[in-house]
Amino acid sequence: MVFATDGHLRRLPKVELHCHLEGSTRATTIRDLALKNGVELPVDDPEELYQFTNLNQFLDIYTIICRSLVSADDYRRITYEALEDAAAAGVRYREMFFSPGFTIQFGVPVSRIWEGIRAGLLEARQDLSIQARMILDFDKPSGPAHAVEMAEFAGSEPDRDLLIGMGADSVERGIDHAAFAPAYEVAGRYGLRRTMHAGEDGPADNIRIAIDDCGCERIDHGFRLLDDRDLTARVVERRIPVTVCPTSNVVIANVVPDVANHPFGAMRAAGVLAGLNSDDPGMMRFDLADEYPTVAEAFGYTLEQMEQISLDGIESSWAPDDEKQAMRASFAVEFDALRTEYGLPLRA
Ligand code: HPA
Ligand code: ZN
């Protein structure tokens, strides 16, 4: 059995499928944009904002941060910077959420938001060693009509290589998740891939509704999945990916005291295609490079197991098949180059 050092795990090539654009924003950029847009922040240093003890409090702070995002260029900048930071964390491929519900409430039209994100994405594709695509998340508390409107908007983007899917975030408690089935039907008709935050601080039944009623092909968080044995068996059998964010569940949703007690280890042992993700690396000041060694230590994972988690991210992604094949090959080369550098035997 081969174990890797923290430094080695931080440098593994990685895939990230559960990460929010707005929550990836650097505190320094929020400060710049708030100043530029005349938005008053309740603190002098935005880093001070990044403190929360539950999902609702986190979302309140998320809203404060989002007030600073006004122009298309603001969105271009945060998109580019988020991908710059991801590339530095060893992320080679990312599918990133953006959540227009947080800023359209302040009068920023979704078309302007997307114009900026699109520009940032294209710029990043030119400059950075990371491939990225976007998923539009609707805001659950804004209701089913907002969800349909967002599905229609996402469907209207002609370049399906840039905007590939629809998801849903924000709170779970008190929300009728089945009411979003029509919005997911619209998304499906446009050829958008479908995912949903479910079972984060809500019950496993929300995961079942996401899959059975809304046609979701992937589940975000899925923290409560193992509560339902039959559902778990189906998720395993159908290889429905679950984009798990262990540290986020400790520090944002506060549903588990530490990563060692997170069900991620039990999910993997049960055969769930569960991956590792950071969720909101800017606001958490904790990215995927931090998450890999944290999880390896918490569960005593070998290097092989960590490499497999990375490869499972490729399977779980919505990249085209030829791109997945190319990624598998390049990851294998990188895995072995790192093993050589750290004086470890090559992979079997
Ligand atoms: N859950 C719900 N809503 C969110 C999250 C999350 O993890 N991150 C950003 N918005
Ligand atoms: Zn999330």
Side-chain angles (χ1 to χ4, degrees), residues 18 20 22-23 55 58-59 62 99 102 137 168-171 197 200 221 245 248-249 252 279-280:
H18 183 157
H20 299 262
E22 301 85 352
L55 183 58
F58 168 82
L59 292 166
Y62 207 89
S99 305
F102 284 92
D137 266 13
D169 61 39
S170 196
V171 299
H197 280 55
E200 178 186 14
H221 285 300
C245 311
S248 163
N249 292 156
I252 294 180
D279 210 5
D280 296 282

Side-chain angles (χ1 to χ4, degrees), residues 13-289:
K14 307 169 192 75
V15 166
E16 184 158 47
L17 306 174
H18 183 157
C19 179
H20 299 262
L21 168 65
E22 301 85 352
S24 303
T25 309
R26 299 171 187 164
T28 48
T29 299
I30 289 297
R31 188 171 46 221
D32 285 359
L33 296 181
L35 198 66
K36 174 175 82 76
N37 294 320
V39 173
E40 204 162 320
L41 295 173
V43 291
D44 289 333
D45 179 0
E47 285 251 5
E48 284 174 43
L49 282 173
Y50 292 175
Q51 288 173 19
F52 23 80
T53 51
N54 60 52
L55 183 58
N56 285 65
Q57 204 181 73
F58 168 82
L59 292 166
D60 286 345
I61 295 167
Y62 207 89
T63 306
I64 294 171
I65 287 169
C66 286
R67 284 188 82 115
S68 307
L69 306 171
V70 178
S71 70
D73 196 63
D74 297 345
Y75 275 95
R76 181 205 56 76
R77 175 173 171 183
I78 66 165
T79 304
Y80 187 88
E81 289 181 354
L83 295 173
E84 210 170 36
D85 293 345
V91 179
R92 301 280 186 270
Y93 180 86
R94 180 187 273 179
E95 289 167 11
M96 186 158 62
F97 303 123
F98 69 110
S99 305
F102 284 92
T103 42
I104 56 180
Q105 63 179 317
F106 301 121
V108 181
V110 63
S111 54
R112 189 197 299 167
I113 295 170
W114 176 243
E115 179 195 336
I117 292 172
R118 201 179 194 284
L121 200 55
L122 291 172
E123 212 178 297
R125 282 188 179 183
Q126 293 256 311
D127 296 355
L128 306 173
S129 57
I130 179 172
Q131 169 68 305
R133 297 185 166 90
M134 301 300 299
I135 298 169
L136 190 160
D137 266 13
F138 66 79
D139 178 55
K140 291 182 202 169
S142 297
H146 160 77
V148 169
E149 196 189 321
M150 291 300 105
E152 291 285 357
F153 178 81
S156 73
E157 163 56 52
D159 193 340
R160 192 59 75 246
D161 192 50
L162 296 175
L163 212 181
I164 57 171
M166 188 178 80
D169 61 39
S170 196
V171 299
E172 267 180 273
R173 295 179 193 179
I175 301 279
D176 172 12
H177 285 62
F180 299 118
Y184 278 98
E185 197 188 319
V186 171
R189 235 185 287 138
Y190 281 115
L192 292 160
R193 309 300 295 265
R194 290 162 289 183
T195 186
M196 189 194 277
H197 280 55
E200 178 186 14
D201 73 341
D205 205 45
N206 288 345
I207 303 171
R208 187 191 58 71
I209 292 169
I211 295 168
D212 291 344
D213 298 348
C214 298
C216 288
E217 307 148 71
R218 209 156 72 190
I219 294 296
D220 300 315
H221 285 300
F223 178 80
R224 300 235 64 96
L225 173 66
L226 300 181
D227 292 354
D228 184 330
R229 286 179 61 168
D230 291 345
L231 181 63
T232 302
R234 284 202 286 138
V235 165
V236 170
E237 213 247 329
R238 287 175 52 189
R239 287 190 81 65
I240 295 175
V242 183
T243 65
V244 181
C245 311
T247 299
S248 163
N249 292 156
V250 174
V251 306
I252 294 180
N254 201 4
V255 285
V256 66
D258 52 36
V259 171
N261 283 288
H262 192 283
F264 180 74
M267 284 173 162
R268 296 278 309 172
V272 177
L273 188 56
L276 286 182
N277 303 272
S278 68
D279 210 5
D280 296 282
M283 290 180 69
M284 290 169 46
R285 289 153 292 179
F286 195 92
D287 64 19
L288 200 56

